[in-house]
Structure formats: structure tokens, C-alpha cells
Amino acid sequence: MADEKKLTSQREDFSAWYNEVVVRAELADYAPVRGCMVVRPYGTALWENCQAGLDRRFKETGHQNALFPLLIPMSFLQKEAKHVEGFAPELAVVTRGGGKELEEPLVVRPTSETVIGHMYAKWVRSYRDLPILINQWGSVVRWEMRTRLFLRTLEFYWQEGHTAHATFEEAQEETIRMLNVYTDFAVNDAAMPVVPGRKSETEKFAGADASYSIEAMMGNKWALQAGTSHMLGQNFAKAFEIQYLDQNNELQYCWTTSWGLSARIIGGIIMTHGDDQGLKLPPRLAPYQVVIIPIWRLEEQKAVVLEATERVRAALAGRFRVVVDAREEMTPGFKFNEWEMRGVPLRLEIGPRDVEQESVVLARRDVPGKAGKFSVPMAGLAEAVGERLEAIQAGLLATATAFREANIHEAKSYEELQEIVDDGWAKAYWCGDDACEAKIKEETKASSRNIPLDQGDAGPGACVVCGQPAKEWAYWARAY
Ligand SMILES: [Zn+2]
């Protein structure tokens, strides 16, 4: 149960605020193994709603779910040179099983390209078997040194899509299609404005030809990479011999993709919308969209208030995710604070006078004080609630978008970039050279976030670091 102590304010210490919200809202807790987390029922319900929104979109774009093993032979990872080089430092390796040394060490999957590639090589024979469009929901392990609940943990929950195609064009199209699916989910379900773009060569996935990401701005103006989609070219197809006979009966290598979005998105939702009172959850994903709080002072009012509460709950329950908080040992004020902290979009209060007037009071989490409170007749309540939830969903997106736009600035020089990334995102031309990127990373706290697919109508420019001609601009920011 939350105690009545106030949260650390965002301005005072954003990082402490984040940790307190995660734990006090009962989203997650620290596990006995350092760097692992326990996702509590409230956090799991939020993740399940994220999963449902994504899974629907995956199915609509032709994908099926499957389950692949947690343990992968070490030799599989070694088949793709860049892949093993990238992941080796983060691997958890099993060397004993059943009381004996294993002949070959097994890795706990850090991602599943290798084992899935192995299976695809077995399943694909001819062009008729393509494309293969599979997604897996599960968890993976990467031995991270610095961890934060939801944002970076040793084991994390996610989905990983893996597809195999006959041509480069189809694989490239799939890579961008899934990036767009992530963008659509982030914007429309999580109310989180994101920038879809290409990662730099140094920031791309180990073993990919090209990586793409969606990047979001958090409340402290840091960036969060919230989902990635990778064009793997023929790298894994060659390493695992994923081949097919084409229409001319000639053997060809497949083109593969992979794409993933994890429960890190919950960290993103917390830090995009949250305030000093706690969480602010977008209605489409909130475990509870409405909390009903019956209020009475005199014992003889209780029965009549609770009876009305039940009528209201029943009227809403079919359409909305509703919870009733009728605990008698807590004051209404305590409950208001607690549900505000837990981010429930809409509070519905029913007192004796409301029952008399056949009305209830609705209070929006996103609009503080009197401006967000309305008395609404019980007749037609579901419509009124539906409208308010839509307005909250739209309001959260609009607020987050305005905040982001206000904190992105174009850097015309290296000095300007240095100044901007101290407290925002810099939009700056970059020649594409690793050395210029490395200089920014070493001399500022920022890194390249991505090169947006939408470059607007800006023409070519000059690299802010070296002054050489640059075809594209990128976002630069401090990042989680
Ligand atoms: Zn340059």
C-alpha cells in the first residue's frame, strides 16, 4: 500500500521520481537477483494491454505467433561474426545441467535470430514457402551492468518478430512496415509521439545491414529508443543456410528481418506522461480506465450510496475497465491521491447528494483541480465517460507532442549543438562519418538517436562537426 509521503518532484530528481513511481504505483519491484525485476499485477495488466494492441496489429499485417526455446547452443551465436561480437559481453551461459558438465555450453537467448534462422533453414525449401512471418512473445537475458526497472534489466519481456523473404525489396518493405506498426501503436495507444528513423552505422543491431528505431522524448528531455526494426540482409541467411529454390529452380539465399518492442515502453509511458502526483496512463492502455469512489459520512447513507455505486459500475463494466474502491479504512482524500498516483485516467465520485440528483462527479487525471471536474447525469453516463476518455487520450498526445516540439532545436554549429543537447534534442546535419559522431558522443552527453525517415523539405546542408557536405540530418540527445 502506498504511504502518504509525497513523491520526490520531477524537478528535484527525475530519476528518483521515476523509481518511486514504479515501486509505489505497484508496477514492478526489485528481484533478489541484482538487475532483475518482478512485474506486479498492475504492471502486468498494463503490459498485457500493450501486448494486445501490438498483437492485433501483427495479425492484421499477416504474422503468426510461435514459441522458440530459451536455450541456444553457443555454436549458433558464433556462426554470425558480428552478432557474436556484439552480444558476447552480455551472454549468460549455462555450462552444467543434470549435475554434469555440458558437452557444449548453452546460452540463455539474448535474442533469437540464430535459433530461428536454424529452423527457417529447415522449413524453407522453395519460393512457395516464402515469406515466413513469425512473432514470438517471451523474455530474453542480457547481462547489463547498470539497470533500471523497465528501462534496462537483465531479463526483459518483449516480442521479437522474425521474417524471411525471397527478395531484398520485400524484406526492406517488411522492415519499414513493422517500424510503422510500432509508430502507430506508440502514437495512438500509448499517446507517445515518436520519431521513426534509421540508426547510425555504429548504433545498429549486431548483424544487421540497417537498423531503424522509434525515439521518444521523456519528461526530462532525454530520448528513449522504444522499438527497433532491423533489415538483416542475407547475413543470417548465409550463416544458417536459409535457402530456397526460385522459379527457375536455382538456389537462392533468403533476405531476413527482425523487430522488437519490449516492456521498456512502460518506462516510456511513465516518463512521457507522468507528473509530480505520479503516473498518468493513456486510457487505451490503462489497466483501469475508471475508478469509482463511493463517499459517505453517515452510516445511514452507506447503503444508498453503495447501491448506486453498483448500478453505475454495472452500467460501465461492459464497455470500460472499471474498479470500485469501497475500502472503509481509508478517507476519500487518501484514495484520490492513491489513484492519481497510479494514473487512472478518470475518477468517478458518488456521494449521497449525487444519488439524490441522479448524477455523479467525474474528475480527469490529466486536468488538475476544478477545471477537470464535471457533474454528469447518471442517464447516458457511459457516453459521457467514453467522450472524456477519448478527450484524455487525445490530450495526452497533444501535450506530449507540444512538449517535444518545444524542446527540439536546430543546431547550425557544433557550439550550438553542445548547448542544445544539455537540455533538449538537437536537430543537426551530419556527414555520416563515424569520427564526427564519435566526437559528439565523447565531448557531449548526447548520442545520435536516429536519422528521421521524414527529412522534411530541407535540402543538403553542412555537417555541424566537420563542415563537409551532408545529405541528411539526425537527432542528437542524451538517451536511456
Ligand atoms: Zn562530419
Side-chain angles (χ1 to χ4, degrees):
M1 203 54 56
D3 55 54
E4 289 192 77
K5 197 173 135 276
K6 276 196 129 186
L7 291 166
T8 300
S9 75
Q10 292 187 334
R11 186 181 292 267
E12 202 181 321
D13 185 343
F14 194 83
S15 172
W17 168 85
Y18 175 83
N19 293 335
E20 288 173 25
V21 167
V22 170
V23 172
R24 283 175 55 179
E26 299 182 357
L27 291 171
D29 207 344
Y30 300 95
V33 172
R34 183 203 63 85
C36 290
M37 73 170 163
V38 175
V39 184
R40 300 186 66 178
Y42 195 56
T44 302
L46 182 54
W47 178 231
E48 283 172 344
N49 290 340
C50 295
Q51 289 181 297
L54 287 164
D55 206 63
R56 175 176 60 74
R57 289 171 172 86
F58 297 160
K59 306 267 167 71
E60 282 169 1
T61 46
H63 302 83
Q64 294 177 301
N65 287 331
L67 297 165
F68 294 86
L70 178 72
L71 298 173
I72 301 176
M74 179 61 113
S75 60
F76 278 29
L77 271 91
Q78 286 156 349
K79 284 187 186 181
E80 215 292 332
K82 292 228 168 70
H83 191 62
V84 71
E85 188 191 311
F87 281 102
E90 300 179 354
L91 294 179
V93 183
V94 180
T95 56
R96 290 183 67 82
K100 284 187 298 201
E101 286 297 309
L102 300 178
E103 275 179 36
E104 182 184 352
L106 303 173
V107 302
V108 181
R109 63 182 174 209
T111 177
S112 303
E113 278 75 7
T114 58
V115 64
I116 293 178
H118 175 84
M119 299 314 297
Y120 284 4
K122 208 169 143 184
W123 296 339
V124 176
R125 286 286 166 261
S126 92
Y127 67 92
R128 291 183 208 88
D129 301 324
L130 297 169
I132 304 189
L133 306 172
I134 287 180
N135 173 62
Q136 160 166 268
W137 289 101
S139 67
V140 291
V141 169
R142 297 179 188 173
W143 215 266
E144 302 281 0
M145 300 318 285
R146 297 170 63 188
T147 58
R148 298 285 298 278
L149 293 174
F150 288 115
L151 299 175
R152 182 165 278 119
T153 49
L154 250 61
E155 180 186 13
F156 61 87
Y157 301 91
W158 77 339
Q159 60 69 219
E160 47 178 322
H162 296 271
T163 68
H165 307 262
T167 65
F168 167 87
E169 289 75 18
E170 281 180 36
Q172 181 63 26
E173 196 184 310
E174 168 78 1
T175 306
I176 301 301
R177 179 185 301 119
M178 301 323 287
L179 185 71
N180 291 338
V181 160
Y182 289 157
T183 303
D184 184 59
F185 167 76
V187 172
N188 293 308
D189 287 12
M192 190 190 292
V194 292
V195 180
R198 194 177 83 248
K199 297 300 275 191
S200 73
E201 287 298 300
T202 58
E203 298 276 338
K204 74 185 188 187
F205 178 75
D209 274 1
S211 286
Y212 299 81
S213 69
I214 52 169
E215 304 279 336
M217 185 185 283
M218 303 294 100
N220 60 351
K221 301 163 203 167
W222 288 30
L224 183 82
Q225 175 179 296
T228 50
S229 185
H230 312 293
M231 169 59 173
L232 303 175
Q234 293 183 313
N235 304 330
F236 286 87
K238 286 183 174 160
F240 289 89
E241 296 178 338
I242 314 172
Q243 289 177 291
Y244 70 98
L245 284 169
D246 67 13
Q247 271 130 315
N248 303 318
N249 227 22
E250 279 170 33
L251 205 53
Q252 305 285 356
Y253 284 108
C254 287
W255 299 82
T256 66
T257 82
S258 68
W259 27 275
L261 187 148
S262 75
R264 174 177 237 227
I265 195 85
I266 291 176
I269 291 168
I270 297 168
M271 292 191 290
T272 298
H273 304 302
D275 62 15
D276 286 346
Q277 276 65 53
L279 290 175
K280 238 188 251 174
L281 297 177
R284 295 210 180 126
L285 298 177
Y288 302 125
Q289 296 168 310
V290 184
V291 56
I292 303 176
I293 302 184
I295 301 165
W296 68 90
R297 277 191 314 119
L298 308 170
E299 197 57 26
E300 60 263 32
Q301 297 168 332
K302 178 178 164 183
V304 101
V305 167
L306 287 181
E307 186 276 328
T309 298
E310 175 48 27
R311 262 191 292 134
V312 165
R313 189 202 62 78
L316 298 180
R319 256 177 85 177
F320 307 103
R321 296 185 287 272
V322 178
V323 63
V324 174
D325 186 354
R327 292 175 295 178
E328 295 193 29
E329 66 278 21
M330 276 111 183
T331 64
F334 179 92
K335 293 180 188 177
F336 291 0
N337 288 339
E338 183 173 301
W339 291 110
E340 262 177 29
M341 199 264 294
R342 300 187 83 188
V344 176
L346 210 50
R347 181 175 77 229
L348 193 157
E349 305 163 16
I350 306 179
R353 195 182 304 169
D354 301 306
V355 177
E356 259 170 47
Q357 296 172 350
E358 286 284 305
S359 67
V360 301
V361 172
L362 294 180
R364 283 172 63 155
R365 171 64 179 90
D366 64 325
V367 182
K370 285 210 168 98
K373 276 186 114 170
F374 311 87
S375 180
V376 173
M378 283 191 200
L381 181 61
E383 284 66 36
V385 165
E387 280 164 23
R388 291 302 187 299
L389 290 174
E390 284 301 312
I392 295 168
Q393 182 80 32
L396 290 180
L397 179 62
T399 303
T401 306
F403 178 80
R404 184 187 67 176
E405 295 315 309
N407 289 293
I408 293 179
H409 304 286
E410 189 169 346
K412 299 270 195 216
S413 67
Y414 184 55
E415 291 66 38
E416 277 183 20
L417 181 139
Q418 285 175 296
E419 210 168 291
I420 293 166
V421 298
D422 244 4
D423 193 32
W425 290 17
K427 171 182 171 177
Y429 276 100
W430 170 43
C431 64
D433 190 341
D434 291 355
C436 294
E437 184 185 18
K439 183 178 162 78
I440 295 176
K441 204 167 176 174
E442 276 159 30
E443 297 180 358
T444 74
K445 286 170 179 168
S447 55
S448 75
R449 299 324 307 153
N450 68 22
I451 301 148
L453 297 186
D454 179 3
Q455 290 276 308
D457 48 16
C463 175
V464 281
V465 182
C466 69
Q468 292 298 306
K471 280 184 281 192
E472 297 174 306
W473 54 268
Y475 282 125
W476 305 84
R478 288 187 76 163
Y480 283 97

